[in-house]
Amino acid sequence: MNKRLYVEGVGKLFGGFSAINGLDFGVDAGRVVGLVGPNGCGKTTTLRCIVGLLEPSAGRIEINGVPTTRREARAALGYVPDYPSGLAELTVGEFLDLVRTLYQAEPVYDERAHALLTAFSLESRRKTMLVALSLGMRRIVSFVAALSLAPPLLVVDEVTAALDPEAVIVVREALRAAASHGTGVLLATQDLHFAERSCDEVILLSAGRMIAAGSVDELSARYQAASLEEVFMTALGKSGSVDLKQVFGAR
């Protein structure tokens, strides 16, 4: 299977603090892979190393077989950050046009953008400035721009953050549609329900290290769990923790 992303032995140090350490995984064409873990486990740091916003302290990252230090690699990915910032005075339409120009996208980009804006009920907001949109809507616009490129690799940080339930459903359908046409998708999320329904493979991170990886079915069997939520708690050693019912029932 065509490898869209290859990560080998990747680590990142901030001073003496190891944010991520020895990560090994990949994303194949047509697959949706989820990075799942608690706050501070290294999800965002991992994604920022992959898209070139941070330089890894160790290891190797390739996109479509090309090291991320090369322009061809970065041109082969679409990125949706957890908090889109900058260019706030542009309208939705101007932002989409800018992305199309910077990436020298094919004409079909406009068709995809129109279809996605319509699916998200944002087509009527084309002339609205980004600064006037909610965080959730700005994230959708960023998602529309990245996905309209139909990149070999799509990287999405905190995929459901600030989105309403309807938008979450459209995002899930759009990611699956992109994957069905060969895009490899890597997403970071704390939404276990979304990951369980959307991902072909889940990678569990804790304290910057991978503690488990596999399909939801494989992980459920390995940890004898009925859901990804149970897998998550068991893998992190959180099962059997404080009984909150007992705490609130205390006198």
Side-chain angles (χ1 to χ4, degrees):
M1 192 175 288
N2 192 5
K3 189 73 71 178
R4 297 304 195 196
L5 173 68
Y6 180 77
V7 174
E8 180 185 41
V10 169
K12 178 61 183 177
L13 294 172
F14 293 100
F17 173 69
S18 178
I20 54 175
N21 192 344
L23 296 186
D24 296 290
F25 65 90
V27 178
D28 292 324
R31 302 280 285 178
V32 179
V33 177
L35 285 178
V36 177
N39 284 332
C41 72
K43 299 189 300 296
T44 293
T45 298
T46 301
L47 297 194
R48 288 179 177 172
C49 287
I50 289 169
V51 303
L53 293 177
L54 290 175
E55 183 178 352
S57 304
R60 179 162 61 108
I61 304 173
E62 294 181 353
I63 296 173
N64 255 12
V66 179
T68 53
T69 52
R70 290 169 54 181
R71 182 177 179 182
E72 308 97 282
R74 298 183 187 184
L77 69 86
Y79 175 50
V80 182
D82 57 343
Y83 191 89
S85 60
L87 305 175
E89 301 305 317
L90 294 182
T91 66
V92 170
E94 288 169 343
F95 176 78
L96 294 174
D97 289 346
L98 176 63
V99 171
R100 181 192 60 217
T101 301
L102 290 175
Y103 278 83
Q104 298 181 329
E106 298 176 355
V108 72
Y109 171 93
D110 291 327
E111 297 176 28
R112 294 192 192 106
H114 170 72
L116 285 164
L117 286 176
T118 300
F120 283 111
S121 302
L122 278 180
E123 179 59 34
S124 63
R125 298 292 191 102
R126 270 189 176 270
K127 295 184 179 181
T128 301
M129 289 195 301
L130 296 177
V131 70
L133 298 178
S134 68
L135 172 58
M137 288 183 177
R138 292 200 302 275
R139 296 198 79 244
I140 290 171
V141 173
S142 181
F143 181 81
V144 167
L147 199 55
S148 295
L149 294 168
L153 177 68
L154 178 65
V155 178
V156 187
D157 199 0
E158 294 302 343
V159 62
T160 62
L163 302 187
D164 61 39
E166 182 180 355
V168 169
I169 292 170
V170 177
V171 165
R172 183 172 63 241
E173 293 178 350
L175 291 178
R176 295 307 320 177
S180 72
H181 286 84
T183 292
V185 179
L186 178 66
L187 57 89
T189 184
Q190 296 184 64
D191 187 337
L192 296 175
H193 179 69
F194 184 89
E196 186 165 12
R197 296 195 62 186
S198 306
C199 295
D200 299 301
E201 181 181 353
V202 173
I203 298 168
L204 297 180
L205 296 183
S206 178
R209 294 180 180 272
M210 185 189 306
I211 58 173
S215 70
V216 173
D217 288 343
E218 290 169 345
L219 292 173
S220 296
R222 189 181 312 165
Y223 289 94
Q224 298 182 327
S227 66
L228 185 58
E229 181 179 303
E230 289 186 21
V231 169
F232 178 79
M233 297 301 286
T234 303
L236 292 179
K238 299 293 186 179
S239 55
S241 56
V242 177
D243 184 346
L244 295 180
K245 291 182 180 178
Q246 204 173 57
V247 169
F248 282 97
R251 290 290 185 271

